[in-house]
Amino acid sequence: MESESLEPAVEYLKNIDEDDQVAIIHHWDMDGTSSSVIISKILEKLRGRPADEVTIPAKRAYHLSDEDRQMLEDKTKILILDFNLAADELEDLNGNYGDVLVVDHHNFDRVPDVPFVNPREADADAYVPCSKICLDIASNFGLEDDLRWIAGLGVIQDFGVSSCKDLFEDLEEDYEAYLPETLEQQELAKNCEYGRYSSVLNIKPYRDSAHFAKLAYQALMSSNDLKELEAQEAYRKIYEVYLEMQDEFNIAVEDYDEDREIDRQKMVIFFELESDFHITSSIATNMSAKTPEWIHLVVQRGEEINVSARCQSGRVDLGELMQEALPEESLEDGAEAGGHRKAAGASMQPEYYEEFKDNFKHLI
């Protein structure tokens, strides 16, 4: 991003002092984790210690819970990374809690009246993962070379390689043995050692996401180089669960062709799964990479319905579609949807799912 666009974040970080209590709240995926580590390492350089609290929201929802707000009561600075809260809520936090900074790449209902960095302000169709934006911020503090390897992990899991080619070309100088011959999204995600590290640390599928988010953060904060990751106890703990999760993932992939529901005219696929892991996103991403023109919706039933949608070609705006497909009554009952053109998610009570499904197919 251009330096001028990054200025709100750069100035905000420069004005944090050693007495400030700093909280970072980030999205429950690899892009959010990488972003939190990059910003925390900037703070470590500026004031001698990282952020005082780094966490994902207490609930997988696009709003903060009472538990989140209780954690923020003694914080003077609040950084929201890769997590598109509504503008009203962001302004409420800024007015009643600490000073807020937002760094993001998702669509917002409107631009909030807080320090705000988002490439979509300049270009509504821009797609730059938050971890790359945070790396651009880090370049203002002389940390770009030290933190590039962390940003790349987030970019891969957010399917942002095509918009960050220079990042991976620079990484090749130090990590050629860890990277594929062709620096393309699919090769980086599936066919190299670097991509494997990214998959292991992507805490989104794990049962206790908050616990594993902290372990991933600890592993990255404790490593000065990619080659140090496997020596971290926190990384090894995540890896053990990753192997277990992969077993369930592989079973779901095997069942996909037989159990999916296909609308060939509209090129949309619905697939329902049962799992103790949050693997809807991983399954949808995997299948969308194979058939990028198709829309894949992977549905997990529980106390509520969770849906992950992917369309890697970007032929439709999934973020808008998911929001528009939610029944009006479901919104009053806590339903939510969010995301961007190629990837989005939604949650709702089970009784609204069939209407959501019909609405979605009608809107395509």
Side-chain angles (χ1 to χ4, degrees):
M1 287 183 64
E2 298 293 331
S3 296
E4 184 177 346
S5 300
L6 300 170
E7 195 63 26
V10 173
E11 288 303 311
Y12 179 97
L13 292 168
K14 284 181 178 178
N15 288 325
I16 294 176
D17 61 39
E18 60 182 18
D19 294 327
D20 278 312
Q21 286 291 307
V22 181
I24 294 176
I25 299 178
H26 63 88
H27 192 247
W28 48 85
D29 64 4
M30 188 67 237
D31 191 35
T33 299
S34 289
S35 299
S36 71
V37 173
I38 291 169
I39 296 299
S40 209
K41 282 183 176 281
I42 294 172
L43 291 171
E44 194 170 42
K45 178 178 181 178
L46 291 177
R47 64 172 192 160
R49 78 175 194 275
D52 300 286
E53 180 73 37
V54 178
T55 186
I56 64 174
K59 298 179 179 178
R60 286 195 176 211
Y62 290 93
H63 63 268
L64 297 185
S65 65
D66 290 342
E67 183 179 343
D68 295 316
R69 289 174 177 269
Q70 185 175 359
M71 179 273 293
L72 294 174
E73 286 181 353
D74 65 340
K75 302 301 185 290
T76 57
K77 304 290 183 181
I78 302 168
L79 294 84
I80 309 293
L81 308 179
D82 192 37
F83 183 53
N84 55 329
L85 292 173
D88 286 349
E89 183 166 11
L90 290 165
E91 290 166 358
D92 176 70
L93 290 175
N94 194 60
N96 296 304
Y97 293 84
D99 299 329
V100 170
L101 167 70
V102 175
V103 181
D104 210 310
H105 67 130
H106 294 95
N107 291 316
F108 279 67
D109 54 338
R110 63 177 173 82
V111 176
D113 187 19
V114 301
F116 184 77
V117 173
N118 189 327
R120 291 182 187 267
E121 278 197 283
D123 180 359
D125 294 324
Y127 187 78
V128 183
C130 190
S131 45
K132 176 58 168 64
I133 302 168
C134 290
L135 182 66
D136 291 342
I137 295 169
S139 69
N140 286 268
F141 300 96
L143 290 172
E144 184 176 17
D145 291 341
D146 295 333
L147 303 181
R148 185 178 292 111
W149 68 275
I150 297 173
L153 298 173
V155 169
I156 288 175
Q157 290 298 320
D158 230 43
F159 271 74
V161 173
S162 62
S163 63
C164 303
K165 288 285 190 182
D166 291 349
L167 186 157
F168 291 96
E169 290 171 0
D170 290 338
L171 279 172
E172 200 169 27
E173 296 179 14
D174 294 322
Y175 301 108
E176 184 176 5
Y178 294 79
L179 297 170
E181 290 186 12
T182 305
L183 299 177
E184 302 292 341
Q185 176 65 55
Q186 181 71 359
E187 291 297 304
L188 281 159
K190 300 296 182 183
N191 297 322
C192 68
E193 194 72 3
Y194 186 81
R196 182 178 68 85
Y197 286 122
S198 180
S199 294
V200 172
L201 290 171
N202 180 30
I203 56 88
K204 192 172 187 177
Y206 302 145
R207 294 186 188 98
D208 185 351
S209 297
H211 171 67
F212 287 103
K214 289 188 181 297
L215 288 178
Y217 173 80
Q218 291 168 12
L220 290 167
M221 287 296 294
S222 300
S223 301
N224 294 315
D225 187 276
L226 178 71
K227 301 163 190 175
E228 296 180 9
L229 262 179
E230 291 196 29
Q232 307 302 328
E233 182 180 359
Y235 178 87
R236 294 196 296 270
K237 289 180 179 178
I238 299 171
Y239 186 68
E240 290 176 3
V241 178
Y242 168 78
L243 293 177
E244 184 181 347
M245 182 273 296
Q246 278 296 109
D247 289 339
E248 290 208 21
F249 174 86
N250 291 334
I251 292 170
V253 169
E254 290 175 5
D255 293 341
Y256 197 85
D257 286 346
E258 182 177 346
D259 296 342
R260 65 188 178 177
E261 177 188 332
I262 304 176
D263 185 326
R264 297 190 182 278
Q265 181 179 359
K266 297 195 172 183
M267 297 178 66
V268 59
I269 293 173
F270 292 86
F271 174 72
E272 294 191 22
L273 64 84
E274 293 182 5
S275 175
D276 290 333
F277 290 95
H278 304 290
I279 56 175
T280 56
S281 176
S282 300
I283 298 295
T285 297
N286 181 275
M287 293 306 173
S288 183
K290 296 176 181 178
T291 53
E293 291 297 324
W294 283 73
I295 302 168
H296 294 260
L297 289 93
V298 180
V299 181
Q300 191 162 11
R301 291 183 179 271
E303 292 184 3
E304 65 178 11
I305 296 286
N306 287 287
V307 184
S308 289
R310 297 290 184 274
C311 182
Q312 294 307 322
S313 71
R315 69 178 178 89
V316 297
D317 190 326
L318 288 175
E320 290 185 3
L321 280 175
M322 296 285 271
Q323 289 177 335
E324 292 176 15
L326 285 174
E328 287 189 18
E329 290 183 2
S330 74
L331 298 173
E332 299 173 5
D333 213 4
E336 292 184 308
H340 38 76
R341 175 171 287 275
K342 297 181 180 182
S347 63
M348 69 205 76
Q349 294 300 309
E351 58 264 32
Y352 301 111
Y353 172 63
E354 291 302 326
E355 185 178 351
F356 164 84
K357 184 177 175 181
D358 290 341
N359 290 346
F360 188 91
K361 288 192 288 186
H362 177 73
L363 289 166
I364 298 172

